[in-house]
Amino acid sequence: MRATLLLLAAGLLAGCGIGSGRDEALGQALEAAIGSAPDNGVVDLTTLVPGPWDEVVVFDPGTPASRMRDDLGFDWPAADDAASTLENEDVEALVFLSGGKVTTWAAMWITHGEIPFGRWQASAADGRPVARFTVTRSPLHGTVLVPVPASPAPSG
């Protein structure tokens, strides 16, 4: 009986991917970092998000689980939970990937500042914008985060 339960638990963990659960503390830490960043300051996800990850996918409020799976390119078991969270129009989800597998995800209240929808790299190896965002504040638009362009890779 005990061996059967251990095999079942191992199977469930393998199907979900270790670390693929929602990280409440991470969402709160991201909100705090954005909320406390100075105007024209930079929020760098690579310094804020622990653990292995090489890419983050940001999903807007209202994103259905089917679109999350399509955008990720695989069946993510936690997509239904994330989509349920995104039913709140003031929440976005950040899904962190390492080697094409979800390591963790966080929900973040966008009242602190909204990270633009898209895929952001942890490094500038391929020249795409990295997971760094300039924070600007204005009375008209509130807190806005704009991706920082990647620096060209050093030659030579």
Side-chain angles (χ1 to χ4, degrees):
M1 176 73 166
R2 183 174 174 182
T4 303
L5 289 175
L6 287 174
L7 285 173
L8 179 60
L12 288 172
L13 287 174
C16 294
I18 295 197
S20 65
R22 179 176 175 177
D23 187 334
E24 296 283 344
L26 176 57
Q28 293 169 359
L30 293 170
E31 291 167 4
I34 292 168
S36 65
D39 193 33
N40 295 315
V42 173
V43 172
D44 185 347
L45 297 186
T46 60
T47 61
L48 292 171
V49 182
W53 66 275
D54 51 32
E55 188 173 34
V56 58
V57 182
V58 179
F59 292 104
D60 291 331
T63 302
S66 60
R67 189 173 124 216
M68 288 181 193
R69 291 180 178 106
D70 287 346
D71 287 355
L72 292 172
F74 55 88
D75 182 19
W76 177 40
D80 291 323
D81 183 32
S84 176
T85 299
L86 293 178
E87 288 176 3
N88 184 319
E89 65 185 28
D90 293 326
V91 174
E92 65 184 353
L94 287 76
V95 179
F96 294 88
L97 306 164
S98 179
K101 297 185 186 219
V102 175
T103 58
T104 193
W105 74 278
M108 190 178 84
W109 288 92
I110 63 175
T111 53
H112 299 278
E114 183 175 2
I115 295 175
F117 165 76
R119 280 184 110 93
W120 309 104
Q121 303 301 116
S123 71
D126 63 1
R128 287 192 281 177
V130 295
R132 297 176 61 215
F133 304 90
T134 301
V135 178
T136 58
R137 293 184 173 81
S138 75
L140 182 60
H141 300 291
T143 302
V144 177
L145 283 83
V146 177
V148 173
S151 302
S155 59

